[in-house]
Amino acid sequence: MTSELRTKKGSSPEARISLARAKGPAVPRGSVSCENVSVIPNLSVSALNSDVICDFPFKEMVDFHKAHGKEGTIVVTKVEEPSKYGVVVYSDQGRIEKFVEKPTEFVSNKINAGMYIFNPSIMKRIELRPMSIEKEVFPCMANDAELFAYELQGFWMDVGQPKDFITGTSLYLKSVREKNPSMLYTGPGVVGNSLVDPTAVIGANCRIGPNVTIGPGVVIEDGVCVKRCTILRGATIKSHSWLDSCIVGWKCVVGRWVCSINVIGLV
């Protein structure tokens, strides 16, 4: 199935994205595949890992990519313990020289943050087989002096694990407080940073926060306390329950007088 997304009326006719849904059985394709892909000439391609959270500085990334004029840009972020990761080594100008997997001595404290911009020419490097873009494509681009590093400012976190998702959400809410505080919930009983969808219903005498996100159609009955929680669309938290560091799934129901701590995927 193929569909097309276009920008609003009056924008450039080239500003469109073709979407193709893969057919057939789900099989591992590595971290990059060029099956059934068409590229519009002279337009860059952006990609990002779905399990990272940050402020996503897309405009700054694009400006940096255009300025250096090479084939690819990788966003990098600083970590405290680089020995746990594969690190990126690059020049003062940002040109990536090499990648070092879990270094035993200090060579860099910058790691791949999982956000990229590529020129269409990258497709020539991708074969019709499962490939690892990190291990097979990026090193070749670096050897050809075609890969640059953009240093991310502010917070970043891998949120691929549920406990890390909760921590990452807290970091995001802190960033919202600093940059766009009007987005945060200011209703009765709120403590600290929280986001609440306008369609959510919150009862009397509740304590919301800190670091809570409440999705569309959620119902929180009277006397509920939630902190460091994500409550997804359509869930119900019944009266006088107490939740700390939990993720409540879509359309799930938490009963009355429940005490739940560090529970992921309440159903």
Side-chain angles (χ1 to χ4, degrees):
M1 178 185 296
T2 301
S3 58
E4 190 175 83
L5 298 179
R6 302 189 184 191
T7 57
K8 62 183 179 180
K9 186 176 181 180
S11 61
S12 167
E14 293 181 341
R16 59 184 66 174
I17 303 171
S18 293
L19 303 177
R21 180 177 298 173
K23 297 180 180 180
V27 295
R29 288 182 169 86
S31 58
V32 63
S33 172
C34 63
E35 297 180 45
N36 302 316
V37 173
S38 60
V39 176
I40 301 174
N42 303 319
L43 289 183
S44 297
V45 177
S46 63
L48 66 155
N49 295 351
S50 60
D51 58 355
V52 299
I53 190 168
C54 64
D55 280 331
F56 299 107
F58 293 121
K59 182 182 184 303
E60 292 83 357
M61 290 166 55
V62 170
D63 291 343
F64 177 81
H65 182 74
K66 289 180 178 179
H68 68 65
K70 298 298 183 178
E71 192 170 65
T73 296
I74 295 179
V75 178
V76 298
T77 187
K78 181 180 178 180
V79 294
E80 296 299 325
E81 298 184 55
S83 61
K84 293 182 178 180
Y85 304 90
V87 299
V88 185
V89 179
Y90 52 93
S91 69
D92 292 341
Q93 292 73 39
R95 184 178 67 81
I96 294 177
E97 299 170 352
K98 61 181 177 178
F99 301 87
V100 180
E101 185 65 26
K102 296 182 179 179
T104 56
E105 59 183 33
F106 183 86
V107 292
S108 171
N109 60 357
K110 303 297 195 305
I111 66 169
N112 180 350
M115 293 177 282
Y116 319 107
I117 298 180
F118 306 120
N119 292 343
S121 56
I122 192 177
M123 300 304 296
K124 298 177 182 178
R125 301 179 183 271
I126 301 172
E127 302 174 13
L128 285 172
R129 62 176 178 84
M131 294 185 70
S132 167
I133 193 170
E134 297 87 355
K135 295 180 179 179
E136 298 181 80
V137 178
F138 289 167
C140 294
M141 294 174 69
N143 289 339
D144 294 340
E146 289 288 340
L147 194 59
F148 274 65
Y150 172 81
E151 293 186 2
L152 180 68
Q153 304 300 313
F155 80 99
W156 176 92
M157 190 164 186
D158 182 330
V159 293
Q161 298 297 320
K163 63 181 180 62
D164 296 329
F165 178 85
I166 291 176
T167 301
T169 299
S170 300
L171 293 173
Y172 171 72
L173 291 172
K174 179 182 177 182
S175 178
V176 172
R177 168 69 68 184
E178 295 169 351
K179 298 182 178 181
N180 195 3
S182 63
M183 290 177 58
L184 296 173
Y185 179 66
T186 56
V190 66
V191 178
N193 303 326
S194 294
L195 286 175
V196 178
D197 188 88
T199 63
V201 177
I202 298 177
N205 302 315
C206 291
R207 182 183 186 273
I208 307 298
N211 300 319
V212 168
T213 60
I214 297 175
V218 169
V219 175
I220 296 181
E221 295 184 355
D222 297 347
V224 169
C225 174
V226 289
K227 60 180 181 178
R228 293 192 81 245
C229 290
T230 292
I231 304 174
L232 299 177
R233 178 188 297 268
T236 298
I237 314 298
K238 294 196 173 181
S239 59
H240 305 293
S241 288
W242 196 89
L243 277 64
D244 182 358
S245 303
C246 298
I247 298 176
V248 181
W250 295 277
K251 299 182 180 180
C252 294
V253 177
V254 177
R256 294 179 177 86
W257 295 100
V258 170
C259 178
S260 180
I261 303 174
N262 294 322
V263 177
I264 306 301
L266 284 169
V267 295

